[in-house]
Amino acid sequence: MDNNNEFIHEDEQKPSDFEPAQSQTISPIRGFFWLERSLSDIYAPNFKGWFVAALIYSLLTNFIPALLPASSFIMAIVNPLLIAGLLLGADAVYKKQGSVKPLQMFEAFKHKNIGQLVLYTIAAILMVFIATMILMSYIGLEVINGIDMARIEAGDEQYGMSVLKKVAPAIPWAALLAILISLATWFAVSLILFSNQKALPAIGNSFVGGLKNFFAVLVFVVVLIVCLVVIVLITSLILSMFAALIANPYIQVLINVVINALAVPVFIGVTYIAYREIFLGDITKSENSL
């Protein structure tokens, strides 16, 4: 049963910049409302600001790495800090305490918990590295080293299928590891920013909160997949009308940047709303319901 603000306690004598967080189990159907509340409470009230900020974010994380592949690694390292900046924007919009700035993604660099955000980033990279090593060991280094990527990129279907058969046993384990890492990292940044938690406890609490609400997460994923299928179909129809124009790889990158600029704020909003519902008990109907 959903309770409004059950876990929120305000101390009028000693106001705090942070909100205490305790994970709770919420109704699985809330997974649908995360998307609805993200659009109505976070995205719509400041659409222009979000688009500009997300466009700059997409240029940094997509366009520049496409032009300078060597920068991809650097962007992967700083990306959690950039996401933290966008989450601060979501918090300001939700609480009606400000708007999204063009360089919103850099706001976390001057946050008082920047040290914990950096520590979280290191821990997240380490988790991904360990998961990668586990999968590589399971598949076998000989198999991995023997894969000819040039033949796959050239469209050799028969060779591609043979490679797929070799790595297929590792796919379920890859999916499991991806789910575990996602649950451990999804709310960690929000817990550090808004609940003043340390990096490692935040990762643990994120995992527990996500696991307790796995079915709500599953509902959200299903809704997201349906929406993505519809959007992809519509986008494909539109882009097919300009097939000759988008054949240029740079045009394709620009299209991806614009699509990301439209999509990123939605995911930021979902993350923020899900954090508030699971950890703060803030389950309310949007005043701006779409």
Side-chain angles (χ1 to χ4, degrees):
M1 180 175 180
D2 295 341
N3 297 316
N4 293 339
N5 302 325
E6 182 179 351
F7 289 84
I8 299 177
H9 305 282
E10 295 181 353
D11 188 341
E12 296 180 357
Q13 312 250 328
K14 296 179 181 180
S16 172
D17 293 335
F18 301 101
E19 299 180 275
Q22 178 180 353
S23 65
Q24 59 183 297
T25 302
I26 62 176
S27 170
I29 197 63
R30 296 308 305 174
F32 168 79
F33 289 102
W34 292 345
L35 183 59
E36 190 270 343
R37 292 187 67 192
S38 171
L39 292 170
S40 57
D41 289 347
I42 306 295
Y43 201 5
N46 207 308
F47 174 79
K48 182 178 178 181
W50 275 120
F51 180 74
V52 173
L55 186 62
I56 297 173
Y57 168 81
S58 296
L59 285 170
L60 282 176
T61 57
N62 290 276
F63 191 68
I64 292 179
L67 295 177
L68 301 171
S71 66
S72 299
F73 182 71
I74 297 175
M75 290 302 170
I77 293 175
V78 302
N79 191 60
L81 299 176
L82 302 180
I83 292 296
L86 295 175
L87 282 169
L88 289 171
D91 183 63
V93 172
Y94 182 82
K95 295 178 179 177
K96 299 179 181 179
Q97 295 177 347
S99 58
V100 179
K101 304 173 183 177
L103 298 180
Q104 182 66 50
M105 75 199 78
F106 297 113
E107 288 297 303
F109 286 87
K110 55 186 180 182
H111 193 272
K112 61 181 69 177
N113 284 343
I114 181 64
Q116 293 301 318
L117 289 172
V118 171
L119 183 58
Y120 158 77
T121 300
I122 295 172
I125 293 172
L126 185 59
M127 285 190 290
V128 172
F129 176 77
I130 292 174
T132 302
M133 291 298 101
I134 291 173
L135 291 175
M136 290 179 65
S137 298
Y138 186 82
I139 295 172
L141 293 178
E142 291 183 3
V143 174
I144 295 174
N145 292 332
I147 296 176
D148 188 347
M149 293 303 300
R151 291 180 63 180
I152 295 177
E153 294 174 357
D156 189 334
E157 294 184 7
Q158 185 175 358
Y159 178 74
M161 289 302 297
S162 67
V163 171
L164 181 60
K165 289 180 180 179
K166 292 179 181 179
V167 302
I171 293 178
W173 294 106
L176 177 61
L177 289 171
I179 291 172
L180 294 178
I181 292 175
S182 297
L183 293 178
T185 57
W186 193 10
F187 303 114
V189 173
S190 296
L191 289 166
I192 293 170
L193 289 174
F194 310 123
S195 296
N196 202 29
Q197 294 191 7
K198 303 297 183 182
L200 297 184
I203 291 173
N205 290 334
S206 174
F207 180 77
V208 172
L211 195 61
K212 288 168 66 174
N213 293 279
F214 180 78
F215 290 107
V217 176
L218 187 60
V219 168
F220 165 67
V221 171
V222 171
V223 172
L224 181 63
I225 290 174
V226 173
C227 292
L228 287 177
V229 169
V230 174
I231 292 172
V232 168
L233 289 175
I234 295 174
T235 304
S236 298
L237 289 174
I238 295 174
L239 293 180
S240 64
M241 300 167 59
F242 306 95
L245 178 63
I246 64 174
N248 188 305
Y250 293 105
I251 297 297
Q252 292 179 3
V253 171
L254 286 174
I255 291 174
N256 290 336
V257 166
V258 173
I259 292 175
N260 285 333
L262 293 171
V264 164
V266 178
F267 292 107
I268 293 295
V270 167
T271 298
Y272 181 76
I273 292 296
Y275 154 76
R276 293 196 67 85
E277 291 199 358
I278 291 174
F279 293 93
L280 304 180
D282 180 15
I283 301 174
T284 57
K285 181 176 175 59
S286 171
E287 297 178 359
N288 309 308
S289 185
L290 297 175

